[in-house]
Amino acid sequence: MQDPKSMVDEKGESRLYIGNLDQRITEANVIKMFSPFGKIVSEDFLWHTRGPKRGEPRGYAFIQYSTKEEAQLAKSKMNGRLACGRPLVVRFASEKYLAETANPLKTACDAKMPSITCSTSGQMSRSAKIAAIKNKLKSLEEEGCGSKKPRLQTDGTP
């Protein structure tokens, strides 16, 4: 039998945080985007539970893969990828929040992402803005972000 502590560590190594999600991205979109990289054993899509935004997506989710290798592959392929015009932030759930992720443009410049060209002042060039708009259109077509948000059932049915 495995030591329970090692099981917790293994779970942390295969669990990903997905952030900077556009409000139009649904739970089904997240699963569809991340399922090509391996077997998803659990997924948590977070919603506002109170206040004026109650029932709306919080803009982030967690995905648990069956192995850390699958999680690593998904992280490397999806981090920074545009989804509905916003670069996804994908990292292991066990990683601490880094200050650089607060400014996706700065992170993109530092990482030399091919989809975003940055000037020395940190601003996007005109051609980079055009490329970003084209990528947004492509992602909207691929992921059907124009679909309606799922409504919560109030009569107790699943």
Side-chain angles (χ1 to χ4, degrees), residues 29-48:
N29 293 137
V30 171
I31 292 169
K32 185 177 178 183
M33 282 190 290
F34 284 86
S35 60
F37 306 106
K39 181 182 177 191
I40 296 174
V41 294
S42 73
E43 179 265 346
D44 297 317
F45 192 85
L46 287 100
W47 304 88
H48 288 283

Side-chain angles (χ1 to χ4, degrees), residues 137-150:
L137 289 172
K138 183 179 176 185
S139 69
L140 286 170
E141 290 169 357
E142 287 175 356
E143 296 164 22
C145 290
S147 62
K148 291 183 180 178
K149 285 190 260 184

Side-chain angles (χ1 to χ4, degrees), residues 5-18:
K5 187 178 179 189
S6 69
M7 289 171 62
V8 171
D9 291 342
E10 177 64 31
K11 180 180 179 185
E13 291 177 358
S14 63
R15 184 173 164 90
L16 294 177
Y17 163 87
I18 296 102

Side-chain angles (χ1 to χ4, degrees), residues 2-18 41-42 44 61-75 90-96:
Q2 278 189 318
D3 176 20
K5 187 178 179 189
S6 69
M7 289 171 62
V8 171
D9 291 342
E10 177 64 31
K11 180 180 179 185
E13 291 177 358
S14 63
R15 184 173 164 90
L16 294 177
Y17 163 87
I18 296 102
V41 294
S42 73
D44 297 317
F62 293 92
I63 288 188
Q64 174 83 40
Y65 283 98
S66 60
T67 68
K68 71 178 180 182
E69 290 78 19
E70 292 170 343
Q72 179 61 50
L73 177 64
K75 179 185 175 204
V90 181
R91 65 177 183 265
F92 287 106
S94 59
E95 292 177 6
K96 298 272 188 246

Side-chain angles (χ1 to χ4, degrees), residues 52-115:
K53 293 185 174 186
R54 185 173 187 219
E56 292 182 26
R58 294 187 81 164
Y60 63 95
F62 293 92
I63 288 188
Q64 174 83 40
Y65 283 98
S66 60
T67 68
K68 71 178 180 182
E69 290 78 19
E70 292 170 343
Q72 179 61 50
L73 177 64
K75 179 185 175 204
S76 65
K77 296 287 187 185
M78 297 299 288
N79 188 39
R81 178 172 174 225
L82 291 179
C84 293
R86 296 173 76 166
L88 295 177
V89 174
V90 181
R91 65 177 183 265
F92 287 106
S94 59
E95 292 177 6
K96 298 272 188 246
Y97 186 83
L98 302 173
E100 296 90 37
T101 59
N103 184 347
L105 182 59
K106 181 182 185 302
T107 304
C109 292
D110 293 344
K112 303 284 186 251
M113 287 177 47
S115 62

